Amino acid sequence: MKPKLFLITPPFTQLNTPYPATAYIKGFLNTKNIESVQADLGIDVILRLFSKEGLQNLFANSQQPTTDNCKRILALQDEYIKTIDSVIAFLQGKNPTLALQICQEDFLPEASRFAQLEELDWAFGTMGTQDKAKHLATLYLEDISDFIVECIDDNFGFSRYAERLGRSANSFDELYQALQKEPTYIDTILLSILKEKIENIQPNLFLISVPFPGNLYSAFRSAQWVKKHHPDIKISMGGGFPNTELRSLSDARVFEFFDYITLDDGETPIELLCNLVSNPPLLQGLGEVKRTFLLEDGKVVYKNNSRKHDYKQSQVGTPDYSDLLLDKYISVIEIVNPMHRMWSDGRWNKLTMAHGCYWGKCTFCDISLDYIKVYEPVAASLLCDRMEEMIAQTGETGFHFVDEAAPPALMRALALEILRRKLSVTWWTNIRFEKSFTADLCLLLKASGCIAVSGGLEVASDRLLNLIDKGVTVEQVAKVTRNFTEADIMVHAYLMYGYPTQTVQETVDSLEMVRQLFEAGVLQSGFWHQFAMTAHSPVGMFPEQFGAVKETEDIGTFANNDINFVDSTGIDHDKFSFGLKKSLFNYMHGICFDYELQEWFDFKIPKTKIGPDFIFDALQEEANFNIKPTAKIVWLGGKPSAETFTKSKKGNSWEMLALTFHDKKQSFTIQTSKAEGEWLAEMLQKLSVSNAKTFSFQEVKNDFEIQLEDFELFWYSKPVNVLREFGLLVL
């Protein structure tokens, strides 16, 4: 029997773009000629719910509202039903002219979400019509969402569903009890879509990817329905949630819903499951599996009895987005944070530059698990091949590289390859703020289409950065963010508070560092999150080494990842949350830099010990006259036109060369001696980014000195300095 796989992402992850896990697996299955179909049930449910017919049914099945807000929405139900289809089409990019009506603010019915508009007028004042309309349409959908939560299903959320049941669920009891109840209204929509797809596809192996706690409940609901109505179909769970949370699973009730749960990279485990499905005798426990939980004699067992190796990144194929409704995703603008906007607005092809993390040392991170620990980069040429394949398939040229931290050397190689192939793409990724990101490298990345980076500044304190083993200093972060900003690449910083042994003084000083980074204009976006201890991080495995004590040693029978702990300092870090986030919101909009830090908090805090010019001073740099002989020299510009002229002084005359260059914005001319100009024009052709060969600084110097003298004098002269400003890069 040939395997036929059905791969799903259960509700809900993102509205604007599919979560990539099933596309990655389908791409791999293509290399093995294994038939598969994929679906994002989240967008399917949203589109059925947020439609004319969907809202008619919704209002007809709702409970009586108790709040004035939901009473208002119910009273305006005809307006919601009338407008919903055109608003969804607009958010899908199919109905752009509707923006004009939406912005007149008498088209959409308005409930409580619109109350924040007055506060946000200043933030959205410079937005274009399309963006403002998108934001208003998002508020409209959130109003309907509020009604659903109050009157239909209190577990509903656009990017998560019943997340409370999946988060820190050491015991399976609460989730199991919820699954014994009658399906909710949202469940019935999900299950009706699932029924159609199962009957149409008729798979024999059903794979459910569960990336987050907010997907867990609907994953179990989906598996429960298939088990009941199609008991012959084998069901497996994989993805980020089981990889981090279910590594010590022992509750047998889980296998009333699933036959298998696989951990870490899915390619080889899934291939082996396909072998089992293809050979029914092997299903009796005789077949090989890899990193797989299953039930034997009523007990949960973990089996890893296959010697088959995991596939190299070069062997897993190109992510395949076919079957997914790429033109049906909806772009929303929820909040003003520019990086969060990128996550929720626009369609992004997801790719990975490297498996794992090249640094792999941060003490708060799951560095003991394969998804971080096993580092394996993909060659730049293969990455570009995959990008071109995905552009051809999806019609989209935007890429989000979802790496833990993209390696700078590979980013450089990828940028050069994109420019050589003359690809017109837009891309962004996660990085470490390390000194490899020089001003010239940032300019190269920008030229290749990089528009944004996000990285962990975490706690802006050098003592804590050292304790975290981040491998950066605040001063270094400032310089790197300046380099990106000056190249017009947006920078987002992940910020952390409440790390074990973090003092109140360090929290205040960290906020002051962040204030100065925004005031200096080198950070454009940020987000504070409170430290969470996880079981697979060094802090979680050895808390005593970091000044923390676990509250309980009990290992649950279901999910085990988040660890409750007591900080030896005894500080209540929760109380800083509101002030940190409120101050950041204002700093992101370029205001309130002159406020005393005390004004953000309703309790007494100490004065900062950070000098008022710490970041300003860190950004003052001496000119660097030391270039490594191995540094690569690249020219991003075009071929100049040359014109010879004679220069005279005190009775002497000599020939000069004027080289005129044209870039996308302007034209400029430099003047050199004729011999130097002719050498330079010829050398720029060799250094052009379109050439496969790159030249080192030493090779350029050697070439110059074959026929001319004083290379350093020439290299640091005004004409070359002008070229350095217009795309002559030292990498």
Side-chain angles (χ1 to χ4, degrees), residues 379-603:
S381 57
L382 181 54
L383 274 174
C384 265
D385 289 345
R386 289 177 176 173
M387 290 171 77
E388 289 186 301
E389 282 183 57
M390 292 170 77
I391 291 168
Q393 184 192 89
T394 67
E396 301 282 354
T397 58
F399 288 85
H400 177 196
F401 291 97
V402 292
D403 294 65
E404 300 300 320
L410 183 50
M411 290 174 71
R412 181 182 79 172
L414 176 64
L416 288 169
E417 188 68 18
I418 287 170
L419 290 164
R420 280 188 199 115
R421 297 193 190 194
K422 296 181 169 55
L423 291 182
S424 177
V425 294
T426 305
W427 61 276
W428 55 294
T429 190
N430 306 314
I431 61 160
R432 287 180 63 247
F433 291 120
E434 61 163 87
K435 57 181 179 290
S436 307
F437 290 109
T438 61
D440 280 12
L441 176 54
C442 292
L443 288 169
L444 176 75
L445 298 176
K446 174 67 177 178
S448 72
C450 179
I451 57 165
V453 293
S454 56
L457 170 54
E458 317 308 352
V459 184
S461 149
D462 285 341
R463 180 189 81 84
L464 287 161
L465 285 171
N466 188 50
L467 189 62
I468 288 170
D469 205 358
K470 194 72 189 174
V472 300
T473 63
V474 177
E475 186 173 332
Q476 182 180 310
V477 170
K479 289 174 178 174
V480 170
T481 55
R482 184 266 317 275
N483 292 342
F484 277 111
T485 298
E486 289 185 348
D488 278 336
I489 295 173
M490 185 179 77
V491 184
H492 172 87
Y494 299 108
L495 304 164
M496 185 192 294
Y497 63 101
Y499 193 81
T501 73
Q502 183 173 349
T503 64
V504 170
Q505 185 68 57
E506 284 172 325
T507 301
V508 171
D509 289 349
S510 187
L511 175 58
E512 172 61 15
M513 292 284 205
V514 170
R515 185 194 72 76
Q516 290 187 28
L517 286 165
F518 276 98
E519 188 174 32
V522 297
L523 263 189
Q524 292 76 51
S525 176
F527 186 77
W528 287 102
H529 66 274
Q530 189 165 351
F531 168 76
M533 186 183 286
T534 58
H536 312 292
S537 66
V539 182
M541 293 188 287
F542 313 106
E544 63 285 347
Q545 295 179 16
F546 297 87
V549 179
K550 290 183 185 178
E551 281 193 342
T552 174
E553 286 294 331
D554 292 342
I555 293 180
T557 57
F558 187 55
N560 289 293
N561 191 39
D562 289 358
I563 297 173
N564 293 326
F565 70 99
V566 177
D567 188 340
S568 59
T569 62
I571 294 167
D572 176 15
H573 296 288
D574 289 356
K575 65 182 183 180
F576 287 95
S577 176
F578 182 77
L580 290 173
K581 290 172 183 174
K582 185 177 180 183
S583 59
L584 184 65
F585 183 85
N586 286 278
Y587 298 158
M588 276 196 291
H589 295 102
I591 59 174
C592 301
F593 294 124
D594 55 342
Y595 279 32
E596 291 288 331
L597 299 186
Q598 178 64 67
E599 295 193 42
W600 302 115
F601 302 96
D602 57 7
F603 55 91

Side-chain angles (χ1 to χ4, degrees), residues 257-321:
F257 305 84
F258 291 92
D259 298 290
Y260 311 103
I261 293 176
T262 64
L263 300 183
D264 302 325
D265 291 355
E267 290 85 3
T268 304
I270 288 169
E271 186 181 14
L272 292 169
L273 292 184
C274 288
N275 291 343
L276 296 186
V277 169
S278 303
N279 299 281
L282 297 180
L283 290 171
Q284 308 310 311
L286 303 173
E288 290 187 350
V289 293
K290 194 170 185 74
R291 296 189 301 269
T292 300
F293 283 105
L294 44 88
L295 203 63
E296 280 189 356
D297 300 325
K299 291 190 175 176
V300 179
V301 295
Y302 177 71
K303 281 197 167 183
N304 194 17
N305 63 355
S306 172
R307 293 185 180 179
K308 192 173 179 65
H309 291 296
D310 282 306
Y311 286 89
K312 298 288 185 188
Q313 291 304 294
S314 59
Q315 301 171 311
V316 297
T318 301
D320 182 350
Y321 282 87

Side-chain angles (χ1 to χ4, degrees), residues 83-118:
T83 51
I84 188 66
D85 284 347
S86 55
V87 169
I88 292 294
F90 167 70
L91 292 174
Q92 290 171 330
K94 298 172 185 168
N95 194 11
T97 54
L98 190 71
L100 298 166
Q101 264 198 294
I102 291 175
C103 287
Q104 288 175 355
E105 296 183 26
D106 60 354
F107 175 72
L108 297 178
E110 298 180 8
S112 65
R113 294 286 182 148
F114 285 77
Q116 60 187 290
L117 266 184
E118 287 179 23

Side-chain angles (χ1 to χ4, degrees), residues 171-325:
S171 166
F172 187 48
D173 290 348
E174 191 178 359
L175 179 55
Y176 189 73
Q177 287 161 12
L179 292 163
Q180 305 314 307
K181 296 176 182 173
E182 285 297 307
T184 66
Y185 182 80
I186 304 296
D187 290 345
T188 59
I189 297 175
L190 164 65
L191 298 178
S192 68
I193 293 169
L194 181 62
K195 179 177 185 290
E196 292 168 15
K197 292 189 182 292
I198 290 285
E199 290 174 356
N200 184 39
I201 297 162
Q202 298 188 339
N204 46 26
L205 182 54
F206 181 34
L207 302 181
I208 305 180
S209 174
V210 183
F212 307 114
N215 304 93
L216 189 69
Y217 169 80
S218 50
F220 271 86
R221 263 297 184 214
S222 300
Q224 180 185 47
W225 186 89
V226 172
K227 269 272 172 257
K228 180 179 178 182
H229 297 279
H230 299 274
D232 52 322
I233 297 175
K234 295 297 176 185
I235 309 173
S236 179
M237 182 205 297
F241 182 85
N243 289 349
T244 52
E245 304 267 355
L246 301 185
R247 302 189 82 89
S248 55
L249 176 67
S250 61
D251 195 317
R253 293 174 297 174
V254 170
F255 292 89
E256 294 173 23
F257 305 84
F258 291 92
D259 298 290
Y260 311 103
I261 293 176
T262 64
L263 300 183
D264 302 325
D265 291 355
E267 290 85 3
T268 304
I270 288 169
E271 186 181 14
L272 292 169
L273 292 184
C274 288
N275 291 343
L276 296 186
V277 169
S278 303
N279 299 281
L282 297 180
L283 290 171
Q284 308 310 311
L286 303 173
E288 290 187 350
V289 293
K290 194 170 185 74
R291 296 189 301 269
T292 300
F293 283 105
L294 44 88
L295 203 63
E296 280 189 356
D297 300 325
K299 291 190 175 176
V300 179
V301 295
Y302 177 71
K303 281 197 167 183
N304 194 17
N305 63 355
S306 172
R307 293 185 180 179
K308 192 173 179 65
H309 291 296
D310 282 306
Y311 286 89
K312 298 288 185 188
Q313 291 304 294
S314 59
Q315 301 171 311
V316 297
T318 301
D320 182 350
Y321 282 87
S322 59
D323 312 323
L324 297 174
L325 310 173

